[in-house]
Short mmCIF file of all heavy atoms in Angstrom, two decimals:
data_model
loop_
_atom_site.label_atom_id
_atom_site.label_comp_id
_atom_site.label_asym_id
_atom_site.label_seq_id
_atom_site.Cartn_x
_atom_site.Cartn_y
_atom_site.Cartn_z
N GLN A 952 71.44 67.13 97.34
CA GLN A 952 72.42 67.64 96.48
C GLN A 952 73.52 68.53 97.06
O GLN A 952 74.43 69.09 96.39
CB GLN A 952 71.77 68.38 95.24
CG GLN A 952 70.86 67.46 94.43
CD GLN A 952 71.71 66.35 93.77
OE1 GLN A 952 72.76 66.52 93.26
NE2 GLN A 952 71.17 65.18 93.65
N GLY A 953 73.43 68.84 98.38
CA GLY A 953 74.38 69.62 99.02
C GLY A 953 74.29 71.14 98.81
O GLY A 953 75.19 71.86 98.83
N PHE A 954 72.98 71.52 98.72
CA PHE A 954 72.67 73.00 98.49
C PHE A 954 73.37 73.91 99.50
O PHE A 954 74.16 74.72 99.14
CB PHE A 954 71.19 73.22 98.35
CG PHE A 954 70.74 74.63 98.14
CD1 PHE A 954 71.06 75.18 96.83
CD2 PHE A 954 70.10 75.35 99.09
CE1 PHE A 954 70.68 76.45 96.47
CE2 PHE A 954 69.73 76.67 98.71
CZ PHE A 954 69.96 77.18 97.49
N ARG A 955 73.13 73.62 100.74
CA ARG A 955 73.56 74.53 101.90
C ARG A 955 75.17 74.41 101.88
O ARG A 955 75.74 75.53 101.98
CB ARG A 955 73.16 74.05 103.14
CG ARG A 955 71.56 74.42 103.32
CD ARG A 955 71.13 73.86 104.81
NE ARG A 955 69.73 73.61 104.85
CZ ARG A 955 68.87 74.36 105.65
NH1 ARG A 955 69.53 75.26 106.33
NH2 ARG A 955 67.54 74.08 105.65
N SER A 956 75.68 73.29 101.82
CA SER A 956 77.13 73.06 102.00
C SER A 956 77.81 73.63 100.81
O SER A 956 78.91 74.26 101.00
CB SER A 956 77.58 71.55 102.06
OG SER A 956 77.18 70.90 100.89
N ALA A 957 77.29 73.75 99.58
CA ALA A 957 77.82 74.34 98.43
C ALA A 957 77.93 75.95 98.79
O ALA A 957 78.92 76.53 98.52
CB ALA A 957 77.08 74.05 97.21
N VAL A 958 76.86 76.49 99.27
CA VAL A 958 76.80 77.88 99.47
C VAL A 958 77.87 78.16 100.62
O VAL A 958 78.57 79.22 100.42
CB VAL A 958 75.42 78.34 99.95
CG1 VAL A 958 75.39 79.76 100.37
CG2 VAL A 958 74.38 78.14 98.78
N VAL A 959 78.01 77.48 101.71
CA VAL A 959 78.86 77.71 102.76
C VAL A 959 80.30 77.63 102.25
O VAL A 959 81.20 78.37 102.52
CB VAL A 959 78.60 76.82 103.89
CG1 VAL A 959 79.74 76.92 104.90
CG2 VAL A 959 77.35 77.13 104.59
N SER A 960 80.67 76.71 101.39
CA SER A 960 81.88 76.54 100.80
C SER A 960 82.25 77.61 100.01
O SER A 960 83.45 78.15 100.00
CB SER A 960 81.99 75.09 100.01
OG SER A 960 81.83 74.12 100.78
N ALA A 961 81.32 78.17 99.19
CA ALA A 961 81.63 79.33 98.36
C ALA A 961 81.86 80.45 99.16
O ALA A 961 82.85 81.37 98.90
CB ALA A 961 80.38 79.60 97.45
N MET A 962 81.20 80.66 100.25
CA MET A 962 81.44 81.87 101.19
C MET A 962 82.85 81.71 101.85
O MET A 962 83.58 82.69 102.07
CB MET A 962 80.30 81.89 102.27
CG MET A 962 78.98 82.25 101.65
SD MET A 962 77.68 82.26 102.91
CE MET A 962 78.07 83.79 103.81
N GLU A 963 83.20 80.48 102.22
CA GLU A 963 84.59 80.26 102.81
C GLU A 963 85.65 80.63 101.85
O GLU A 963 86.70 81.30 102.16
CB GLU A 963 84.70 78.82 103.26
CG GLU A 963 83.87 78.51 104.44
CD GLU A 963 83.93 76.97 104.77
OE1 GLU A 963 84.45 76.23 104.01
OE2 GLU A 963 83.46 76.58 105.91
N ALA A 964 85.48 80.37 100.54
CA ALA A 964 86.43 80.65 99.59
C ALA A 964 86.47 82.18 99.35
O ALA A 964 87.61 82.69 99.11
CB ALA A 964 86.05 79.91 98.24
N CYS A 965 85.37 82.85 99.35
CA CYS A 965 85.28 84.23 99.16
C CYS A 965 86.01 85.02 100.28
O CYS A 965 86.82 85.88 100.12
CB CYS A 965 83.99 84.70 99.02
SG CYS A 965 83.62 86.44 98.68
N THR A 966 85.82 84.50 101.49
CA THR A 966 86.38 85.13 102.67
C THR A 966 87.90 84.96 102.74
O THR A 966 88.73 85.84 102.90
CB THR A 966 85.82 84.57 103.95
OG1 THR A 966 84.36 84.77 104.06
CG2 THR A 966 86.38 85.18 105.27
N GLU A 967 88.43 83.77 102.31
CA GLU A 967 89.81 83.48 102.33
C GLU A 967 90.55 84.39 101.25
O GLU A 967 91.57 84.93 101.55
CB GLU A 967 90.05 82.01 101.99
CG GLU A 967 89.84 81.09 103.18
CD GLU A 967 90.58 81.59 104.31
OE1 GLU A 967 91.75 81.73 104.35
OE2 GLU A 967 89.90 81.70 105.47
N LYS A 968 89.79 84.67 100.05
CA LYS A 968 90.37 85.42 99.17
C LYS A 968 90.34 86.93 99.58
O LYS A 968 91.41 87.63 99.38
CB LYS A 968 89.53 85.35 97.85
CG LYS A 968 90.04 86.25 96.66
CD LYS A 968 91.48 85.72 96.10
CE LYS A 968 91.94 86.57 94.92
NZ LYS A 968 93.13 86.11 94.41
N SER A 969 89.40 87.34 100.22
CA SER A 969 89.34 88.63 100.88
C SER A 969 90.48 88.94 101.84
O SER A 969 91.14 90.01 101.85
CB SER A 969 88.01 88.91 101.52
OG SER A 969 86.97 88.98 100.62
N LYS A 970 90.81 87.94 102.55
CA LYS A 970 91.88 88.07 103.56
C LYS A 970 93.28 88.17 102.83
O LYS A 970 94.12 88.91 103.22
CB LYS A 970 91.96 86.89 104.53
CG LYS A 970 90.83 86.73 105.48
CD LYS A 970 90.88 85.53 106.40
CE LYS A 970 89.79 85.52 107.30
NZ LYS A 970 89.72 84.24 108.16
N LYS A 971 93.36 87.44 101.68
CA LYS A 971 94.76 87.60 100.95
C LYS A 971 94.89 88.92 100.34
O LYS A 971 96.01 89.30 100.05
CB LYS A 971 94.67 86.44 99.79
CG LYS A 971 94.70 84.98 100.38
CD LYS A 971 94.80 84.02 99.35
CE LYS A 971 94.82 82.60 99.88
NZ LYS A 971 94.68 81.61 98.84
N LEU A 972 93.73 89.65 100.10
CA LEU A 972 93.93 90.98 99.42
C LEU A 972 94.49 91.97 100.40
O LEU A 972 95.00 93.02 99.97
CB LEU A 972 92.49 91.46 99.09
CG LEU A 972 91.79 90.69 97.85
CD1 LEU A 972 90.39 91.24 97.64
CD2 LEU A 972 92.66 90.97 96.65
N LYS A 973 94.67 91.65 101.59
CA LYS A 973 95.30 92.50 102.60
C LYS A 973 96.82 92.68 102.28
O LYS A 973 97.37 93.59 102.81
CB LYS A 973 95.25 91.94 104.10
CG LYS A 973 93.79 92.19 104.64
CD LYS A 973 93.90 91.53 106.10
CE LYS A 973 92.49 91.70 106.74
NZ LYS A 973 92.62 91.08 108.15
N GLY A 974 97.39 91.79 101.49
CA GLY A 974 98.73 91.89 101.14
C GLY A 974 99.06 93.01 100.03
O GLY A 974 100.30 93.11 99.77
N VAL A 975 98.08 93.70 99.58
CA VAL A 975 98.39 94.75 98.61
C VAL A 975 99.28 95.79 99.19
O VAL A 975 99.20 96.10 100.43
CB VAL A 975 97.06 95.30 98.04
CG1 VAL A 975 96.32 94.22 97.33
CG2 VAL A 975 96.29 96.07 99.04
#
């Protein structure tokens, strides 16, 4: 069911959002 890949994808999305917060 893609358990590991779903977790890794979620972490990638979280990291990218964190990087965008640098623009404040």
Side-chain angles (χ1 to χ4, degrees):
Q952 296 296 322
F954 181 69
R955 292 179 197 242
S956 61
V958 172
V959 172
S960 295
M962 294 178 70
E963 289 174 347
C965 187
T966 300
E967 287 307 307
K968 182 64 174 180
S969 295
K970 289 178 180 178
K971 289 178 182 178
L972 289 174
K973 286 181 179 179
V975 299

